[in-house]
Amino acid sequence: MDKNTIIGFVLIAAVLIGFSWWQQPSKEEIEEMRKQDSLALIEKKKADEKAKIAQLAAQKKAEQAKSEAAQDTTALFHAALNGQAQDIVLKNEKLELTLSTKGGTVTKAVVKGFKDHQGNTDVTLFDEKDQQLNFLLAGKDVNIITQELVFTPSNQTDSTVTMTAVAAPGKQLVMNYTLGKDYLLHMSMAAEGMNGLFPPTYKQMDVEWTDRCRQQEKGFTFENQRSALTYHFTDGGTDYLNETKSQQDKAVKEAIDWVAFKNQYFSAVMIAKDNFAENALMTSMPQEKETHYLKQYGAKLKTPFDTSGLKASEFEFYYGPNDFRLLQRIEKQSTFGKDLQMERLVYLGWPLIRYINRYFTLYVFDWLTKFGLNMGIVLILITLLLKAITYPLVKKSYMSSAKMRVLKPKIEEATKQYNKPEDAMQKQQAQMAIYSKYGVSPLSGCLPMLIQMPIWIAMFNYVPNAIQLRGESFLWMNDLSTYDPIVEWGKSLWAIGDHISLTCVLFCGANILYSIMTMRQQKDQMVGQQAEQMKMMQWMMFLMPVMFFFIFNDYSSGLNFYYFVSLFFSAAIMWTLRKTTNDEKLLAYLEERRKENEKNPKKQSGLAARLEAMQKQAEEMKRQREQQMNKYK
């Protein structure tokens, strides 16, 4: 840095310092600024105080309005708000309902003739601690909440009652109840002489329904997986909230006919004659096992309401078992004339599976139960019937495997020169050529076996939802609808629970036996690398029964028993077919077919044709690669 630069920096610093000193305010100016700041602060405080006063005034006004509204409510429903609550009982041979005059709704539902898991002779779906139903009406000056009102009962019999809440002379809220011959309760609600209390545009009332769903069966986990809040769309079809996930205030976009708080075997259903409006809010929250409650259900609904009182809002309630045929009959008893599809509360599976259960399994169960047979016997007979129906397919599958077994020496001889990995295509083609000569299709046994899978899946969906098995004993099984423990312990362990089910052990044992027989059959027909690969796959075949044990240990003994019997008969059929099949005669028969095919050759089709085409394509690609390599040599 030279002398001139230093002088320049000094002069710039001097100018800046001098300018700052010159711009510095005087003492008088500083004092004036302080006064202005003080005045601004005082004005801010005044503004804050005014805002606070205005806020307090608004709160006071709101509280006063609320107090006046409460006084209006008291003035309107003075007797109803100060009445004494009492219980009213409606009953028939199958159902007993307790209605409280406080709120005017059902507070307890007892389904007769069905034991619960604690051994009680009747099932209590809910009581006043678990369930609440509330109707909310928004007036011009006052909101009417039925849960706050005490209704006066009249016209009371074992099956009917009228609940009346008087607002003022000539103004009253009336609920009429009629219990049918079994599980259906009809209810109507009308506001008489109260038209002037509501805005002209008021057309809908709010309905809030909650229920803490009780555990009714011994197997908490199994029952919980089959308990779900379910609803029916006005345009047809049903849907439900996930059984295992917690969902709160889920909006249902479409209008619905009914909402069901569903257990595995029982349901409480609310049906609206004029539908529930779009955007209903549904809640389902799973509960812990220790509580002995399955779910916390909730539904926030809207439905048409006539403020003139000329047309009542009508509802029907179903409190009863999830029995497919019973629900069909109940729908015919409904006075609403709707296609409610209430039988959908009995879940029968996905569309294809549902059709099998709907039009086959149900009819077979109905037919067999007419004879008064024990349900364990019914399961055995159904298994035998299904085995008889599928026997031709099973036999076809087995004979296809047997043909490949007797041809195994010829295949090994024809493919012994193809031992290199790159010869896999030629080996496969040579193998298919042998099959083609003898008229054998390796795939002919696969499709029949696949056809049986829907039957297995259909029974998987039907048996756990068949209330006919509930409480039915057979052999060592006290209840076919729940697990049959041979060992129990108090604490639930990960993956296995708190017990070991005997029928689950039998099912898994039968599965292992059937897997061994299947592996031997497959091994007898495989050659070369296929046989080696089969050895590597054996451990997977044994792993499946172990996985099934952890899955099915909580499942019902009826389902495990059905699978055990089904696998037992499958193994017996396979053993019988093996013993009654003469390999020499079968080979002689195939030789005759080979000679006929040589006299009348047919064009290859199917898998053999595709393999031949792939082989030709691979050979052509190999030839092109060799030509390309020779070109560069």
Side-chain angles (χ1 to χ4, degrees):
M1 186 179 294
D2 57 12
K3 179 179 179 183
N4 293 333
T5 303
I6 295 172
I7 293 172
F9 276 119
V10 171
L11 290 174
I12 291 171
V15 170
L16 291 173
I17 293 170
F19 182 78
S20 299
W21 177 80
W22 182 66
Q23 289 291 328
Q24 184 178 3
S26 62
K27 291 182 179 180
E28 293 78 6
E29 290 175 334
I30 293 172
E31 186 64 28
E32 184 64 24
M33 291 173 63
R34 286 177 179 174
K35 289 181 180 180
Q36 293 294 330
D37 290 341
S38 298
L39 290 172
L41 183 61
I42 291 171
E43 291 297 327
K44 185 177 182 304
K45 287 182 178 180
K46 287 181 178 180
D48 290 343
E49 288 178 359
K50 287 181 180 180
K52 189 174 182 180
I53 291 170
Q55 184 179 2
L56 291 173
Q59 290 178 352
K60 187 175 181 181
K61 186 176 181 181
E63 290 174 0
Q64 185 177 359
K66 186 176 180 180
S67 177
E68 290 174 356
Q71 290 175 4
D72 290 341
T73 306
T74 304
L76 279 174
F77 288 97
H78 177 74
L81 289 168
N82 295 279
Q84 187 68 34
Q86 60 177 302
D87 290 337
I88 306 296
V89 176
L90 304 181
K91 60 183 178 180
N92 55 31
E93 294 181 354
K94 299 179 180 179
L95 187 65
E96 182 175 307
L97 301 176
T98 301
L99 290 79
S100 175
T101 56
K102 178 68 179 293
T105 57
V106 177
T107 56
K108 185 177 181 180
V110 177
V111 182
K112 300 179 181 179
F114 293 89
K115 291 183 179 180
D116 63 12
H117 72 287
Q118 295 176 338
N120 299 315
T121 55
D122 300 321
V123 167
T124 300
L125 289 186
F126 58 81
D127 58 22
E128 65 279 359
K129 301 189 301 294
D130 306 326
Q131 191 259 14
Q132 282 190 340
L133 176 60
N134 198 8
F135 299 93
L136 300 94
L137 306 171
K140 288 189 288 189
D141 300 316
V142 59
N143 293 330
I144 302 172
I145 303 172
T146 57
Q147 279 294 321
E148 297 178 352
L149 305 178
V150 177
F151 291 73
T152 301
S154 61
N155 303 324
Q156 183 180 350
T157 68
D158 282 346
S159 59
T160 62
V161 68
T162 298
M163 299 278 198
T164 305
V166 177
K171 302 179 187 297
Q172 58 189 13
L173 192 64
V174 181
M175 297 180 181
N176 286 299
Y177 287 94
T178 303
L179 178 62
K181 61 182 180 180
D182 39 38
Y183 303 103
L184 198 64
L185 175 70
H186 187 276
M187 175 248 193
S188 65
M189 177 179 176
E192 299 178 357
M194 298 173 63
N195 190 28
L197 300 179
F198 300 98
T201 58
Y202 187 71
K203 301 297 181 183
Q204 287 183 328
M205 69 174 168
D206 290 274
V207 182
E208 293 185 355
W209 189 26
T210 60
D211 179 32
R212 200 176 182 200
C213 181
R214 291 186 175 191
Q215 176 186 352
Q216 303 291 354
E217 315 305 323
K218 182 172 70 172
F220 176 88
T221 303
F222 191 67
E223 182 184 8
N224 209 0
Q225 291 171 351
R226 281 151 186 81
S227 302
L229 188 153
T230 307
Y231 45 90
H232 180 265
F233 299 110
T234 303
D235 294 333
T238 57
D239 201 356
Y240 57 92
L241 300 189
N242 189 286
E243 300 94 331
T244 57
K245 294 182 180 179
S246 181
Q247 294 176 279
Q248 191 165 3
D249 289 341
K250 177 188 175 182
V252 179
K253 303 298 183 183
E254 302 174 45
I256 57 179
D257 286 318
W258 52 259
V259 180
F261 294 162
K262 177 180 176 293
N263 289 61
Q264 181 181 2
Y265 292 120
F266 301 92
S267 289
V269 186
M270 184 179 186
I271 310 163
K273 181 177 182 179
D274 298 317
N275 309 331
F276 294 115
E278 299 88 346
N279 297 313
L281 301 178
M282 305 295 183
T283 296
S284 175
M285 295 185 290
Q287 305 295 291
E288 297 296 329
K289 182 177 181 180
E290 293 75 17
T291 65
H292 299 290
Y293 286 93
L294 305 172
K295 304 281 195 317
Q296 177 68 50
Y297 289 138
K300 297 178 181 178
L301 313 160
K302 290 182 181 293
T303 192
F305 181 74
D306 181 12
T307 57
S308 70
L310 298 176
K311 180 182 178 183
S313 297
E314 294 187 63
F315 305 91
E316 287 177 336
F317 297 87
Y318 174 79
Y319 305 107
N322 298 328
D323 184 319
F324 191 93
R325 299 302 187 195
L326 171 64
L327 290 167
Q328 286 182 318
R329 295 195 298 270
I330 290 294
E331 185 167 324
K332 294 179 181 178
Q333 297 174 19
S334 173
T335 60
F336 296 164
K338 293 184 173 184
D339 184 13
L340 297 173
Q341 296 181 306
M342 287 180 61
E343 68 275 6
R344 291 288 188 92
L345 288 170
V346 181
Y347 183 70
L348 298 179
W350 290 81
L352 173 61
I353 305 304
R354 184 166 64 244
Y355 283 119
I356 294 173
N357 283 326
R358 173 68 180 83
Y359 297 106
F360 174 77
T361 312
L362 271 166
Y363 283 99
V364 173
F365 258 84
D366 292 344
W367 177 62
L368 291 174
T369 51
K370 286 180 181 178
F371 298 102
L373 299 173
N374 181 279
M375 292 309 299
I377 301 296
V378 170
L379 288 174
I380 294 174
L381 293 177
I382 286 181
T383 306
L384 289 173
L385 177 61
L386 292 174
K387 292 302 175 185
I389 292 172
T390 58
Y391 177 75
L393 303 176
V394 173
K395 185 176 181 181
K396 183 177 181 181
S397 175
Y398 174 81
M399 293 308 297
S400 176
S401 300
K403 290 173 184 178
M404 289 187 285
R405 182 180 70 244
V406 297
L407 290 175
K408 181 178 177 180
K410 296 183 180 295
I411 293 173
E412 288 179 338
E413 180 64 25
T415 59
K416 63 182 180 180
Q417 68 270 32
Y418 304 117
N419 293 323
K420 297 179 181 178
E422 58 269 22
D423 296 335
M425 186 65 71
Q426 292 95 322
K427 185 173 185 177
Q428 188 71 25
Q429 186 182 17
Q431 185 174 341
M432 293 304 299
I434 297 293
Y435 289 147
S436 180
K437 286 180 181 180
Y438 288 90
V440 176
S441 174
L443 298 180
S444 63
C446 298
L447 184 59
M449 294 304 293
L450 290 176
I451 292 175
Q452 296 184 78
M453 289 304 297
I455 297 175
W456 271 61
I457 300 172
M459 295 301 289
F460 177 82
N461 284 281
Y462 181 80
V463 173
N465 295 302
I467 195 170
Q468 292 84 353
L469 272 67
R470 188 179 187 272
E472 285 284 323
S473 61
F474 182 66
L475 300 177
W476 67 89
M477 296 165 280
N478 295 324
D479 186 349
L480 290 169
S481 69
T482 188
Y483 59 84
D484 56 322
I486 50 173
V487 179
E488 288 187 280
W489 50 88
K491 188 176 180 181
S492 181
L493 301 179
W494 180 81
I496 192 173
D498 57 4
H499 66 275
I500 293 178
S501 174
L502 177 56
T503 50
C504 181
V505 174
L506 292 175
F507 160 48
C508 294
N511 203 343
I512 292 173
L513 173 64
Y514 186 72
S515 298
I516 292 173
M517 296 180 69
T518 303
M519 283 188 294
R520 286 180 178 176
Q521 180 176 317
Q522 293 176 348
K523 185 178 179 181
D524 288 343
Q525 67 192 46
M526 291 182 176
V527 295
Q529 294 181 354
Q530 290 179 337
E532 295 298 322
Q533 291 172 358
M534 186 62 190
K535 292 179 181 179
M536 299 175 61
M537 294 294 292
Q538 285 182 359
W539 69 272
M540 294 185 63
M541 300 288 285
F542 288 109
L543 181 62
M544 288 300 295
V546 176
M547 293 175 59
F548 282 151
F549 172 77
F550 291 104
I551 295 172
F552 284 84
N553 191 44
D554 264 329
Y555 277 48
S556 67
S557 57
L559 182 64
N560 280 319
F561 181 71
Y562 165 76
Y563 282 149
F564 162 68
V565 173
S566 179
L567 283 170
F568 175 82
F569 282 123
S570 294
I573 290 170
M574 186 180 294
W575 181 84
T576 302
L577 289 172
R578 182 68 180 90
K579 290 297 182 181
T580 56
T581 301
N582 189 314
D583 288 358
E584 293 180 359
K585 290 183 179 181
L586 181 59
L587 182 58
Y589 166 76
L590 292 175
E591 289 290 350
E592 290 295 327
R593 289 191 62 179
R594 180 184 63 79
K595 293 176 182 179
E596 291 179 6
N597 291 336
E598 288 178 351
K599 294 177 182 178
N600 302 295
K602 297 179 181 179
K603 185 178 179 181
Q604 282 188 339
S605 60
L607 180 60
R610 288 194 294 272
L611 286 171
E612 183 178 2
M614 291 171 62
Q615 172 63 19
K616 290 180 179 179
Q617 185 179 6
E619 290 177 351
E620 178 63 22
M621 292 176 63
K622 182 178 179 181
R623 185 183 63 79
Q624 291 178 0
R625 283 197 303 268
E626 290 176 352
Q627 288 179 351
Q628 195 74 14
M629 291 177 65
N630 292 331
K631 195 186 219 182
Y632 291 101
K633 284 184 179 179

